[in-house]
Structure formats: structure tokens, C-alpha cells
Amino acid sequence: MFFRMVRGTFVRQWKKLLMIALTVALGASIATAMLNVMLDVGDKINEELKTYGSNITVIPQSEAVMNKLYDVENGETQDEFLNEDKLGELLTIFWANNITDFAPETDAQVLLDGNEVKVVGSWFAHHFEYEKKGTTYTRDTGLINLRSWWDIKDGQWMDESASDSDRYAMVGCQLADKNNISAGDSITLKGSRGEEVLTVSGIYESGDDEDEYIYTTLSAAQRLTGTQGLLKKIEVSAITSPEDELAVKAARDPSLLSGDEYDLWYCTAYVSSICFQIQEAIPEASATAVRQIADSEGKILEKTELLMTLITVLSLIGAALGISNLVTSGVMERSIELTLLKAVGAKNGQVTFLVLTEVMATAVVGTAVGYLMGYVFAQIIGETVFNSAIEMNGMAAFIVAVLILFVTLLGSIPAIRLLLRLKPSEVLHGGH
Amino acid sequence: MSLLELKNVSKIYGELNALDNVSLKIDKGEWLAIMGPSGSGKSTMMNIIGCLDKPSKGQVLFDGKDISKESRRKLTEFHRDKIGLVFQQFHLINYLNAVENVMVAQYYHSMPDEKEALEALERVGLKERAKHLPSQLSGGEQQRVCIARALINSPELILADEPTGNLDEANENIVLDIFKRLHKEGTSLIVVTHDPEVGEEAQRIVRLEHGHISSDIRNEKFSEG
Ligand SMILES: Nc1ncnc2c1ncn2[C@@H]1O[C@H](COP(=O)(O)OP(=O)(O)OP(=O)(O)O)[C@@H](O)[C@H]1O
Ligand SMILES: [Mg+2]
């Protein structure tokens, strides 16, 4: 009987119920999209962080000491080096698996058409192998990951797998503009110890000082300066655990930690413990965390989350208002019928239950549709903002369901109050 | 013992005394007609007797029990269990067919039972039209569905407000025949009507004027018989 009455409403008021379903779907879709993006965004930001370059720099220890003493910019005037042979030691540390990317660098001032320019030698898309005690460590890494934000204006990324890759370079867009260089051109670089004629494979835009640089392979740069087998710097990108008290304490001086604290710290992927382990593996190196990027990213993340929360709340308020309007007018339309139910013996609770069942059934359908729509929205946001798919979170589905339930009930309150006020005596008052 | 008793009942709407200090006793099994001009308070009285409304003043005793102070919820239960209502306008749910309309009253009373509902329709001569929607029924047929719905939970008292007001002669007679049968079976009936012919069928006629009872007479037809 109950079911027949509900069905009757669905048949008769299908337009209104469809509108309710749509309103719910809209609210649910936005909430779904935002929640999933928010829950997924922590990981995304980590990926972003990685794409925004290294979070650890490794430089020669002597140079680090000099920098501390004289407050000199990294690697500008120093002539200290790391040994290229030791590079592989990075992959032997406890947290090696957290090192997602790394690239060695050496730089030099050279002459291009009589003007002094900075050349940096590094890896682009490099296949690296390191053997130690019978174990082979391999990694495919390079600037293609560490400079993923580079916008290639002309030409393409350097292909390091080509046999003559050593004869190529990439030029920053401002330098290219100044010197009228485009992809495919040959440039001649005069270094302190040699001269290289390189073909420009691509022009990049980085948005910072690097737009004035030339990037080439590590070996080409080493030949220009006569520093074969030597490095000035290693950029490391690692996934790290958030800093906490222990990390702060350890950052001051690991030797101050108690035995247990030390073990815990060492076995946690804090940026400080990873740096510490790198220095253990390469004793002549000094590894330091690059912090500013992470901090500003964190703030942007906070603001983005705030914005998304706001959008979700507003859309849910909108949904509640819409639902309240629709349900109320639906109840008004059928006030005679509902009053009649009271007059044949239905209690207020029973009539309320009937109306709520109809609304809730509609809301469930709307939520399901909205969830699917939200999935699509989330993927669109993921693609456009983070360049990757958003993973749908079961927790988000649950939260959305609860929110929508709450919003639907909230939106139904005015209609229920109206319904409770319907008096069988008035509407049925003899023959009015 | 009287089935129902109104004791100094008033219903006040703002300035207007729709019912003004009315006292009335109705016996079990009695058939009472309430007559009077429009606006005299007939429907107001029905609402109070039918537990759809509470009096502003006074007491309503049903089987000797005062129900005027009960909560709305209790009143609903009471009216559901004891009273069957027939309205002047045939208030049926228009998307449910005849038998389903009867079953709604069962549903809110106890359990819907299609067989019983069909029997109720049979009693008002509508078994063949059980699957018709209200829009496919004539006015008289709709009114009979309402009566079947009022009967379904075997009420002690049937309240009918202008049950024949919108019906032609033939249908009026059908409805009256049903009432006569119910009366014979011992159901108490209170019928509001403008129609003297309908009033004539009752054992007792109460006249209302401006919320007062102006006359309360026994129908000679019955006292003789
Ligand atoms: N809810 C209400 N609010 C205010 N006044 C009301 C209300 N219901 C009824 N009245 C007034 O109370 C008086 C009695 O109304 P009631 O419906 O009982 O008359 P009635 O005798 O049934 O008339 P009719 O024969 O036209 O059905 C009327 O003047 C009516 O306007
Ligand atoms: Mg009336």
C-alpha cells in the first residue's frame, strides 16, 4: 500500500521529483569532485613538489663550509667538486626508494659569440646504473623529471639515448631571443679548457634565471672546463615525511638524540634523516634541504582546500535551498491529498514518513547520478590542474552520502512543518 | 448509555462563536440528522465529534470518556479506530483506484487487506468498479467509495457531512439505502444535510442556528413504528 502511494507520487509528480533529483545531483557532484580532489591533493602536491624540482641539494662539504662562513651563493665562485663515481652511493642509502629523481650538475662560464654565458651540464633522460657488492642499482631520471615545468618553445627535449647526444644542447628562451637561436642551429661554446660545437635540440622557458642558461650533457660541460669525472652539485628529489618535533630536534644535531629517538628518526623519511644518510654515503658531501618551495606549496594547498571547502559548502547550501523550495511546493500541491490521509487516520509521523521516503528515494537516485558526474568533474580538475587522474576515495563517497542525507533532510524541514500544520478539519471543512 | 455526549461545547474562531455552548447526547445505534442553514456550525460540530478538531470550551465524552483534552496523536488514533468519515466532496486520492482508496484507510488502521476492501466495495455495490480510478467513476460512485472507506474499519460511528449534497435522486437513494442497512446493523450515524428528505430518514433531527441548537425532535415515523 505504502509502495503504491509512493509510486503514485512518482508517476504524478515526476517533474518535481526530477528537479529534486537534479538539484541533489548537482550538489552531490560538486561535493564529490571537491572532496576527492581535496583528499587526493596531498599526494598530488607531493608529486607537484617533485615536479617543482629537487628538495635536497648535495654540494661538496668544503664549499658548504665556505658558504656558511661567507654567505656566498651556491657554486658561483667556488672550485670544489664531488666525485662522479660516488653518485651511485645515493642509491644505497636506507631511504633510497624514496629518492624519486636525482641529477648531477656541473656548470661553467663560457663564451658564446664573445659573450659570457652560463652552461650547465646535467642529465636529461638518463639511464643510470651503479654496481656495488654484486648488486646493480638502476634509475631512469634526469631534468625531464626535475624540470618538468619547462615549457619547450621550439624543438624538443634532448634525447640522451641517441649515440651523438653529447653534441646537443638546450637553450633558455631569453638567451635564445637575444642571440637569435632556434632549434636545429649550431652554437659554438668556448670554455676554459675546450671548445664544443653543439646542435640546439630545443628552446625552453623556465620562468627564472635558467632562461639565460644553456643546458648540455654532463660530459660536454666537463670537457669545456676540463673537469672530467667531477661534479659541482647533485639535485635530489625525495618523498619525505612531514616534519615534527623529533625532526626539528634532529635537525639541530642528530647526536643529541637518545638511542631510541635516533633509531626512530633514522628510520623515518624525514628530509633531515635522508640528508644525513646521503652524507654518510658520500662523506665529502653536504646535503641540505631546500625548504621554501615546500612551505609556499603548503600555503597554496591550504588556500586551495579552503576555496574548495567553500565551494562545497555553498553548493550544498544551494542544494538545500533548492530542495526546500521544491519539496515545499510539492507538499503544497498535494495538501488536500495529505490532509485526506490524516482524515482517514494517518498520524503526522506517518504522513511525514511518506513524504520523506519519496524525497529520500529521489535523493538517492540524485546522489548516484551526482557521484558519477562528480567523478567526471574530479577527473577534469585533475587533468587541467594536476595533469593526472584523481583517485576516487571511498571515504569521500561516504562523506558525500552523509552530507546529502543531511542537506536533504534539512531542505525538507520547511515542507514538513507545513505538512504538520495541515489540519484535516480545515481543508475538509464541510464542503468548502 | 449514550455513545457520545457534548457538554457545553463552544468553538470560537476569533470573534465568531461557530458553536456556542452546545450540549447534545447521542445514543448507541442512533441515527441522527443535523440540519440548519449554511454557516450555522454543522461542519464545525462534525469536526469536533469526529476528533478532527478540539473544542475551544466544553467537553466531549465518547463512551463516557472525556476526549476533549487528549493529545492530537491520541485523537487521531481515536478517530481512526472508532469513526468513519464521509465528506461532502468526494475526497479520494486520485491516483489510487477505488479499492486502493479503501485500502489506504486500512493501511493507517492496521493492515491493508484487498479481500476485505473488495467486500466493503461490494456492500456499496461497486465491486465491478474496484479497479477504476476516481476520474473514471461518477459522482455517486465516488461517494460510495468514500462510504466503503468509512466502513472498512468497522467504526462505531459514521459521520457524514452532506453525503448526498452533490448527488442526483437515484444516487441519493442508493446512499440512503446503504445508511439504512448500516443503521439496521447497529452502526450509529450522524448525517449533516440540507435536504429534508434525507433528514426524514433519521430517527432524530437536530437543528442548528448560529451555533445554537434551536430544536431537537424525534422523528414521528420511527416513534410510531
Ligand atoms: N477555520 C475557520 N476559521 C474561521 N472561521 C471558520 C473556520 N471554519 C469555519 N468557520 C466559520 O464558522 C462558521 C460555521 O462554519 P461551518 O463550516 O461549521 O458551517 P456549516 O454549518 O457547515 O455550513 P455549510 O452548510 O455551508 O457547510 C462559519 O461562519 C464559518 O465561516
Ligand atoms: Mg458544512
Side-chain angles (χ1 to χ4, degrees):
Chain A
M1 195 65 235
F2 184 75
F3 171 70
R4 288 195 218 187
M5 288 195 275
V6 171
R7 191 190 55 193
T9 309
F10 272 90
V11 171
R12 223 163 24 96
Q13 286 199 320
W14 66 270
K15 275 186 196 155
K16 193 135 276 158
L17 293 175
L18 187 71
M19 290 297 291
I20 293 177
L22 273 178
T23 311
V24 168
L26 219 65
S29 66
I30 293 174
T32 304
M34 292 300 154
L35 272 173
N36 276 302
V37 171
M38 260 194 272
L39 291 177
D40 204 33
V41 95
D43 297 342
K44 286 283 167 297
I45 288 291
N46 250 334
E47 275 170 41
E48 280 286 272
L49 253 182
K50 190 186 83 190
T51 62
Y52 271 107
S54 58
N55 48 2
I56 297 171
T57 3
V58 183
I59 55 173
Q61 199 179 31
S62 45
E63 184 185 331
V65 173
M66 292 299 278
N67 285 350
K68 248 188 199 150
L69 287 178
Y70 300 110
D71 201 18
V72 188
E73 273 282 298
N74 269 0
E76 282 290 309
T77 54
Q78 305 303 312
D79 265 335
E80 308 292 337
F81 294 96
L82 292 166
N83 207 323
E84 193 178 343
D85 298 341
K86 292 284 183 68
L87 204 47
E89 290 294 323
L90 276 181
L91 297 178
T92 66
I93 69 166
F94 184 79
W95 283 111
N97 283 335
N98 278 36
I99 295 179
T100 51
D101 281 293
F102 67 101
E105 271 180 27
T106 192
D107 59 359
Q109 295 297 123
V110 298
L111 289 176
L112 170 68
D113 295 339
N115 296 316
E116 206 168 78
V117 296
K118 181 164 171 171
V119 170
V120 182
S122 186
W123 292 345
F124 292 82
H126 193 82
H127 180 73
F128 178 71
E129 278 186 17
Y130 181 65
E131 246 195 77
K132 190 182 181 186
K133 293 180 187 153
T135 313
T136 311
Y137 303 88
T138 67
R139 208 47 79 89
D140 287 292
T141 185
L143 294 181
I144 199 156
N145 292 337
L146 287 162
R147 296 286 187 279
S148 63
W149 66 89
W150 273 11
D151 191 7
I152 306 301
K153 297 293 205 189
D154 187 19
Q156 61 202 37
W157 274 95
M158 268 174 61
D159 178 8
E160 267 195 281
S161 60
S163 54
D164 62 344
S165 65
D166 232 14
R167 313 238 54 91
Y168 284 93
M170 294 182 77
V171 181
C173 60
Q174 285 183 21
L175 184 68
D177 268 0
K178 238 183 282 173
N179 293 281
N180 240 333
I181 301 171
S182 45
D185 291 357
S186 277
I187 50 172
T188 308
L189 302 179
K190 280 200 183 80
S192 54
R193 297 289 164 81
E195 193 175 296
E196 295 282 322
V197 179
L198 304 173
T199 308
V200 177
S201 79
I203 311 290
Y204 63 83
E205 182 178 351
S206 170
D208 55 22
D209 290 352
E210 291 178 359
D211 287 343
E212 301 269 6
Y213 297 176
I214 294 170
Y215 270 83
T216 184
T217 56
L218 189 62
S219 46
Q222 285 169 338
R223 283 197 302 274
L224 281 165
T225 49
T227 56
Q228 280 84 344
L230 298 177
L231 308 173
K232 281 227 165 143
K233 181 167 131 188
I234 310 169
E235 283 190 19
V236 178
S237 174
I239 294 173
T240 59
S241 305
E243 300 290 280
D244 56 17
E245 256 173 63
L246 180 61
V248 171
K249 196 170 167 190
R252 254 179 258 134
D253 188 353
S255 62
L256 292 180
L257 299 176
S258 73
D260 284 352
E261 280 178 329
Y262 181 87
D263 288 346
L264 180 61
W265 170 74
Y266 195 89
C267 296
T268 308
Y270 297 123
V271 70
S272 56
S273 51
I274 295 178
C275 285
F276 183 80
Q277 288 164 15
I278 291 174
Q279 286 171 183
E280 280 183 328
I282 313 175
E284 62 273 27
S286 159
T288 45
V290 186
R291 272 230 183 73
Q292 295 98 324
I293 301 169
D295 285 354
S296 66
E297 279 298 307
K299 279 198 191 94
I300 290 170
L301 177 63
E302 259 171 42
K303 281 181 186 159
T304 316
E305 283 189 345
L306 186 72
L307 183 70
M308 290 197 282
T309 312
L310 227 91
I311 293 173
T312 309
V313 168
L314 286 180
S315 74
L316 288 178
I317 290 176
L321 289 176
I323 291 168
S324 120
N325 239 323
L326 289 163
V327 180
T328 307
S329 73
V331 165
M332 252 146 51
E333 262 175 30
R334 44 202 287 238
S335 63
I336 300 248
E337 171 202 332
L338 295 175
T339 313
L340 179 67
L341 290 182
K342 288 190 185 187
V344 300
K347 290 180 192 151
N348 272 332
Q350 290 172 311
V351 183
T352 306
F353 183 67
L354 174 70
V355 171
L356 277 186
T357 305
E358 292 163 5
V359 174
M360 284 300 163
T362 311
V364 166
V365 175
T367 309
V369 173
Y371 189 79
L372 293 180
M373 281 161 60
Y375 175 78
V376 175
F377 286 167
Q379 297 318 322
I380 293 174
I381 294 173
E383 272 313 313
T384 48
V385 183
F386 301 105
N387 263 324
S388 69
I390 300 281
E391 212 171 293
M392 295 306 263
N393 192 308
M395 190 64 194
F398 177 75
I399 295 174
V400 167
V402 170
L403 281 177
I404 291 294
L405 178 80
F406 180 70
V407 161
T408 310
L409 282 176
L410 203 72
S412 304
I413 287 177
I416 287 165
R417 289 176 48 141
L418 179 76
L419 188 155
L420 294 181
R421 280 204 306 271
L422 291 177
K423 280 204 194 121
S425 64
E426 274 177 26
V427 177
L428 305 178
H429 218 274
H432 282 296
Chain B
M1 191 190 137
S2 60
L3 172 71
L4 183 89
E5 186 173 356
L6 302 186
K7 272 189 182 167
N8 307 321
V9 167
S10 297
K11 181 74 187 178
I12 300 163
Y13 292 118
E15 299 277 280
L16 178 86
N17 283 16
L19 279 183
D20 195 358
N21 208 21
V22 168
S23 295
L24 183 71
K25 265 189 190 174
I26 299 152
D27 287 333
K28 268 207 172 85
E30 196 171 21
W31 180 348
L32 179 84
I34 297 177
M35 301 188 69
S38 187
S40 55
K42 305 184 296 294
S43 296
T44 305
M45 190 154 131
M46 293 297 256
N47 277 328
I48 288 172
I49 294 173
C51 301
L52 296 181
D53 213 347
K54 287 189 190 184
S56 313
K57 280 187 210 146
Q59 288 182 310
V60 182
L61 304 178
F62 204 103
D63 277 336
K65 199 172 142 236
D66 186 4
I67 55 170
S68 49
K69 300 287 182 299
E70 295 285 2
S71 69
R72 180 157 284 285
R73 189 189 162 84
K74 269 267 152 51
L75 281 182
T76 305
E77 275 174 17
F78 191 80
H79 129 235
R80 185 190 71 189
D81 295 342
K82 308 261 179 179
I83 293 164
L85 281 173
V86 180
F87 316 104
Q88 176 175 7
Q89 285 173 338
F90 334 107
H91 283 300
L92 294 174
I93 296 176
N94 52 20
Y95 56 84
L96 296 180
N97 63 32
V99 69
E100 286 169 344
N101 263 286
V102 175
M103 285 160 71
V104 168
Q106 281 181 315
Y107 173 74
Y108 286 117
H109 181 262
S110 44
M111 281 285 282
D113 177 346
E114 187 149 5
K115 202 166 138 267
E116 241 177 61
L118 283 170
E119 276 165 23
L121 282 178
E122 194 168 14
R123 288 178 75 186
V124 298
L126 278 180
K127 199 174 183 193
E128 283 68 48
R129 328 228 86 192
K131 299 289 174 192
H132 286 60
L133 290 173
S135 56
Q136 299 163 329
L137 296 171
S138 77
E141 288 167 340
Q142 289 183 45
Q143 188 61 292
R144 277 143 70 191
V145 175
C146 286
I147 295 173
R149 184 178 62 195
L151 296 180
I152 190 68
N153 297 319
S154 323
E156 287 178 41
L157 173 65
I158 291 209
L159 295 179
D161 195 346
E162 303 270 14
T164 57
N166 294 328
L167 302 183
D168 66 3
E169 183 100 19
N171 275 300
E172 186 178 306
N173 286 330
I174 294 174
V175 169
L176 282 177
D177 283 342
I178 297 168
F179 283 172
K180 279 179 201 160
R181 218 169 342 123
L182 288 170
H183 178 57
K184 244 187 222 130
E185 289 165 14
T187 312
S188 312
L189 288 162
I190 302 180
V191 179
V192 169
T193 184
H194 280 295
D195 187 342
E197 270 180 51
V198 176
E200 276 305 300
E201 300 294 335
Q203 294 169 297
R204 183 180 162 198
I205 300 169
V206 169
R207 283 187 186 279
L208 275 182
E209 249 163 82
H210 302 299
H212 293 283
I213 294 182
S214 64
S215 75
D216 183 348
I217 38 174
R218 302 252 145 220
N219 192 338
E220 291 120 45
K221 199 167 96 183
F222 288 86
S223 39
E224 277 164 16

